[in-house]
Amino acid sequence: MNIGIVCYPTYGGSGVVATELGKALAQNGHKIHFITYNRPIRLDLFSENIFYHEVRTKDYPLFDFIPYESALASTMVDVARFHNLDLFHVHYAIPHASVAYLARQILKDYDLHVPVVTTLHGTDITLVGKNPAYEPVVSFSIDHSDGVTAVSEFLREATLANFAVRKDIRVIPNFVDLERFYRHKKAHFRQMITREGEKVLIHTSNFRKVKRVDDVMRIFAKVRAEISCKLLMVGDGPERRNAEDMCRELGYCSDVFFLGSQDAVEEIYSIGDVFLLPSETESFGLSALEAMACGVPVISSNAGGLPEVVIDGYNGFMSPVRDVDKMAADAIRLIKDPEQWQTFSENAVKHAHTFSIANIRPLYETFYDEVINASQAALSPAVH
Ligand code: GMT
């Protein structure tokens, strides 16, 4: 198949999923055309099946607001026409699903029908999408996609509850590349940042409010009061400054490393003892899955789709959102019990394997086939 993938190229989970899926599909023989305004950060390999088409957004000096949507629609039309696309797969509803609708309409003028699959990732539904400024467009473009997927059962239900949509939504969960995400031998890295016997807690996110980065700092303060440990903060975003202020106020900055956005997160997870994800809401929690694949048990909130990833008392512990006392107590208990930690670590790896890309990629391929067949059938004149 020739597939056009549209996504945000930044460090967010939706861009990571889109890029990793594209890479896996390319490995399986499909021709993948990434259509984005920058090279996606996980697009780090050369393949004869992968193409990158930049959406040019920087050369419109007349406008106060860059018309990203128009530039994207035009690029999608161009790529579909000249690379014979069979399908668009767009990630994150806003604005990609509505732009795909526009591109599909324009292509009809060229006698081309390119069906659109939209994948909902989370904040496009749970936060931004519900905003009245976007809601009618989000509902419309979900209903007018040829196929829609959501990354968790929670997100599917949240979409049906919050939007008056009639579309069937297929749940296809996030996945992990197990050739990359496993526990690497990184003893030297651990020695560099810890003293003998010290433990390592890790949080990775885009440091947005929804991630409750302040709770990460509070949990760490409580764990550190009982156990000698370090905190690795991976990623960047609006709440980083606040987190830095908090560790200064609480007086433990020398034990916290703000690492910024990192490419080789699997190397960081490989020295982790506990992964912290106390999010307000989380449609899936890809970072938790990647940490689990590296043998790191998860201490998280039980928000959104996290219970579909973390199994409480098996590969981690979950608590109600904001319950930092319980999250800290669970982390301390787990860290202090090496036997239980080992079991949880092994369980984390085992459970992560059920989300291997080898298991999940075929679910997308089957869905693409169904969508293409259904839209071809809808185009053909009825046979009586
Ligand atoms: O977590 C973020 O804020 C980034 C966001 C995105 O779309 O880039 O992530 C969402 O999509 C990920 C991939 O499907 C999910 O694993 C995350 O749980 C989801 N984030 C939220 O729902 C907050």
Side-chain angles (χ1 to χ4, degrees):
M1 259 183 247
N2 291 332
I3 302 164
I5 292 186
V6 175
C7 65
Y8 286 110
T10 46
Y11 277 86
S14 61
V16 169
V17 167
T19 313
E20 295 292 354
L21 175 63
K23 283 156 62 176
L25 290 165
Q27 252 174 14
N28 210 31
H30 303 284
K31 297 252 183 276
I32 302 301
H33 295 265
F34 285 101
I35 306 169
T36 57
Y37 62 80
N38 264 327
R39 182 182 65 83
I41 50 123
R42 288 260 180 115
L43 191 54
D44 49 4
L45 56 78
F46 172 77
S47 158
E48 73 276 23
N49 286 341
I50 293 182
F51 306 85
Y52 166 56
H53 308 270
E54 186 172 311
V55 179
R56 298 192 171 275
T57 54
K58 298 180 186 79
D59 46 3
Y60 294 99
L62 276 180
F63 302 115
D64 283 341
F65 302 100
I66 293 166
Y68 167 61
E69 285 88 340
S70 300
L72 175 59
S74 296
T75 313
M76 289 171 77
V77 168
D78 190 73
V79 175
R81 289 180 64 205
F82 295 104
H83 297 274
N84 299 319
L85 292 192
D86 298 300
L87 181 93
F88 287 121
H89 187 173
V90 303
H91 294 259
Y92 209 85
I94 305 166
H96 296 154
S98 51
V99 174
Y101 175 82
L102 175 62
R104 196 184 60 192
Q105 294 306 104
I106 296 171
L107 284 163
K108 285 183 185 167
D109 281 3
Y110 296 93
D111 284 332
L112 293 172
H113 182 75
V114 183
V116 173
V117 168
T118 297
T119 290
L120 309 173
H121 281 274
T123 47
D124 47 351
I125 294 300
T126 54
L127 291 178
V128 200
K130 282 197 303 198
N131 184 326
Y134 304 110
E135 187 279 326
V137 174
V138 173
S139 296
F140 177 88
S141 42
I142 289 175
D143 262 342
H144 288 81
S145 294
D146 297 279
V148 179
T149 76
V151 299
S152 62
E153 193 55 48
F154 157 79
L155 187 58
R156 193 183 86 87
E157 280 163 23
T159 309
L160 297 176
N162 289 307
F163 297 85
V165 291
R166 297 172 301 276
K167 197 83 193 163
D168 277 343
I169 299 176
R170 178 81 52 94
V171 174
I172 304 185
N174 284 177
F175 49 81
V176 60
D177 177 359
L178 296 168
E179 285 178 20
R180 172 172 174 186
F181 287 90
Y182 60 90
R183 205 159 178 95
H184 297 251
K185 293 202 178 355
K186 288 283 158 195
H188 59 285
F189 177 31
R190 194 180 183 111
Q191 277 158 15
M192 260 164 54
I193 61 156
T194 59
R195 291 188 297 270
E196 185 63 32
E198 245 179 0
K199 300 297 179 186
V200 177
L201 284 69
I202 302 176
H203 169 76
T204 306
S205 75
N206 50 18
F207 285 51
R208 298 198 182 273
K209 270 247 179 283
V210 68
K211 301 293 175 180
R212 300 199 62 82
V213 180
D214 47 347
D215 280 356
V216 173
M217 305 312 287
R218 289 189 194 101
I219 296 165
F220 180 68
K222 288 174 191 290
V223 176
R224 183 180 170 275
E226 292 225 11
I227 293 169
S228 175
C229 54
K230 295 277 193 277
L231 174 63
L232 306 186
M233 298 289 280
V234 184
D236 221 331
E239 287 298 299
R240 175 175 169 162
R241 181 61 210 253
N242 186 26
E244 282 181 295
D245 286 348
M246 276 181 82
C247 82
R248 281 177 202 139
E249 275 160 32
L250 295 164
Y252 57 67
C253 276
S254 57
D255 288 331
V256 183
F257 294 81
F258 287 92
L259 302 180
S261 299
Q262 292 282 329
D263 290 331
V265 277
E266 68 278 14
E267 298 189 3
I268 299 168
Y269 295 154
S270 293
I271 64 161
D273 294 297
V274 163
F275 186 77
L276 299 175
L277 197 60
S279 308
E280 184 82 37
T281 179
E282 198 67 65
S283 68
F284 183 91
L286 178 63
S287 56
L289 175 62
E290 291 184 338
M292 279 165 48
C294 297
V296 191
V298 175
I299 299 290
S300 73
S301 69
N302 57 8
L306 278 169
E308 295 173 53
V309 185
V310 181
I311 303 178
D312 192 40
Y314 176 76
N315 50 27
F317 289 111
M318 282 185 297
S319 307
V321 177
R322 295 186 182 84
D323 194 344
V324 289
D325 287 341
K326 181 172 176 305
M327 292 187 211
D330 285 340
I332 293 166
R333 189 152 46 99
L334 190 57
I335 291 171
K336 279 188 170 169
D337 182 344
E339 242 174 69
Q340 192 187 37
W341 185 88
Q342 190 57 39
T343 308
F344 272 46
S345 168
E346 285 163 18
N347 292 346
V349 174
K350 229 183 286 168
H351 192 53
H353 276 238
T354 62
F355 296 98
S356 77
I357 187 129
N359 287 346
I360 307 299
R361 190 206 63 233
L363 304 182
Y364 278 111
E365 288 171 316
T366 305
F367 191 59
Y368 294 164
D369 281 337
E370 286 174 26
V371 166
I372 290 171
N373 291 339
S375 64
Q376 271 164 3
L379 282 179
S380 330
V383 180
H384 295 288

